[in-house]
Amino acid sequence: MAVNVPLCVTDARDIRERGAELQRAWCESVLQDDHPPDDTAAFQRWLEAYQVQRRAFVLAGWAEAVSPDVRRRARLIALGSLARGEDLPQSDLDFALLTSADLRLDDAAPDVERFVRFMGPMGFSPCMGNVMGANPRWFGPEDAWMARVQKYAEFPDWANVRYLYMTVDAAPLEDAPQWALVAAQVRGVVAQSRFMKWQMAHLGIRGTVGWGAVRGVRWQASGDGAVFHVKDRFLAPMIHALRLLSLHHGVDALASVDRATSLGRIGALEGLRADAVVRALWFGWRLRARRHAECWLKGQRDAVDLVPRSSLSRAWQEALEEHLRTAQALERLVCRRFPKPRGSR
């Protein structure tokens, strides 16, 4: 069946009045896709259009829920999947705020909290890790951001290093030229540190792909039968690995597909084909988007990344196995490439 991609709505008033209705239309649309598991052309068109809609949702919420005074003194910075252009129907709302020096968090917090609540009906769950602008870690003027990055670099425990990697995947949704300086400092700090690259490879990626040579797909037991965590056990390790390799090789792209293509072009994927990595990403996003949409339409807001084995045909299960092998090959590549530096503890 052809996928009827909804028209993107950008008017803030329309979004305020029809946000949940628009979200429903996008969820119903992606579930029209009944192509075979590796025929992702229709889904790619849907996802590209949906990124425009997601950004419009965010900007409308910012305009509707936040006072003109706070908007004048704060710039909205997308983090994670929204920054990379990979947002799905129930992706978390991850964002930072780059502010003027005279804006205090206590003054901005009520507006930011209204913004977060406004986004709920459109499929934006508050980030469980509190990677949001009301958290002082993700709020402040340029000099505070630069000092924060330097502090993380000077004490690179795994928590601080994770914050640095999160800050790499960021994109201003409004005019914010100062952010380029913050972004350059973060990329430089990580790219020059063998220790931080080892940490991501071995503490953040190693052992996370849900595939085993003997047992195959690592299904988890649940009350409703076996399930698979499509984000943590498939997509996240690939996205983290591509970001790590991109930092190491000086690839500036944000989107994971662009990173994979660029890395393949310069031979940085060794024996792993870039097109295999790209196909795995599209399959994983499609599988996750379908699960998100199904859960949204049922009113389910938790366990949205747990795909039941019973919901997958044999063809989908075989495709999952194929692409998990690619994800595991990428995992092994970064673990080989970034060994623990001598003398580090």
Side-chain angles (χ1 to χ4, degrees), residues 195-269:
F195 182 63
M196 291 183 194
K197 287 183 278 192
W198 166 79
Q199 284 176 296
M200 176 52 72
H202 291 266
L203 303 181
I205 299 171
R206 184 181 181 183
T208 57
V209 174
W211 173 261
V214 176
R215 299 180 61 185
V217 179
R218 293 175 178 166
W219 299 98
Q220 302 171 222
S222 77
D224 299 322
V227 296
F228 181 76
H229 202 300
V230 67
K231 178 184 176 183
D232 289 355
R233 292 298 196 173
F234 183 8
L235 283 168
M238 296 190 71
I239 291 166
H240 295 336
L242 291 169
R243 180 180 57 202
L244 173 56
L245 289 167
S246 295
L247 286 165
H248 181 69
H249 290 282
V251 171
D252 291 334
L254 266 183
S256 298
V257 166
D258 293 341
R259 285 171 169 169
T261 302
S262 297
L263 290 165
R265 190 178 300 121
I266 63 176
L269 296 178

Side-chain angles (χ1 to χ4, degrees), residues 79-303:
L79 299 173
S81 59
L82 183 62
R84 294 191 303 270
E86 299 161 5
D87 242 22
L88 298 173
Q90 297 205 57
S91 293
D92 287 354
L93 180 61
D94 298 345
F95 68 98
L97 293 177
L98 179 66
T99 71
S100 62
D102 61 346
L103 181 62
R104 297 171 58 249
L105 178 55
D106 287 348
D107 296 331
D111 293 59
V112 176
E113 290 164 5
R114 278 196 301 273
F115 166 63
V116 172
R117 290 195 299 272
F118 183 95
M119 301 309 301
M122 291 163 283
F124 292 82
S125 302
C127 176
M128 295 299 292
N130 199 18
V131 183
M132 296 188 292
N135 181 339
R137 192 180 296 281
W138 302 102
F139 177 98
E142 177 193 339
D143 59 350
W145 276 98
M146 300 292 267
R148 192 176 299 145
V149 170
Q150 185 61 34
K151 179 181 177 182
Y152 294 155
E154 291 171 354
F155 189 73
D157 65 0
W158 177 226
N160 283 345
V161 170
R162 286 181 66 245
Y163 296 139
L164 289 171
Y165 277 104
M166 290 178 198
T167 310
V168 169
D169 285 358
L173 295 182
E174 307 171 284
D175 182 39
Q178 306 96 320
W179 185 258
L181 299 175
V182 178
Q185 185 189 22
V186 172
R187 293 180 66 87
V189 162
V190 178
Q192 294 166 22
S193 173
R194 293 173 59 204
F195 182 63
M196 291 183 194
K197 287 183 278 192
W198 166 79
Q199 284 176 296
M200 176 52 72
H202 291 266
L203 303 181
I205 299 171
R206 184 181 181 183
T208 57
V209 174
W211 173 261
V214 176
R215 299 180 61 185
V217 179
R218 293 175 178 166
W219 299 98
Q220 302 171 222
S222 77
D224 299 322
V227 296
F228 181 76
H229 202 300
V230 67
K231 178 184 176 183
D232 289 355
R233 292 298 196 173
F234 183 8
L235 283 168
M238 296 190 71
I239 291 166
H240 295 336
L242 291 169
R243 180 180 57 202
L244 173 56
L245 289 167
S246 295
L247 286 165
H248 181 69
H249 290 282
V251 171
D252 291 334
L254 266 183
S256 298
V257 166
D258 293 341
R259 285 171 169 169
T261 302
S262 297
L263 290 165
R265 190 178 300 121
I266 63 176
L269 296 178
E270 299 181 0
L272 187 56
R273 292 176 58 94
D275 62 343
V277 174
V278 170
R279 287 193 305 111
L281 287 168
W282 282 119
F283 172 83
W285 288 323
R286 187 179 176 206
L287 181 61
R288 190 179 180 216
R290 292 172 63 83
R291 173 64 177 168
H292 277 203
E294 290 167 352
C295 290
W296 173 266
L297 294 173
K298 294 176 183 176
Q300 183 176 340
R301 303 295 182 262
D302 56 0

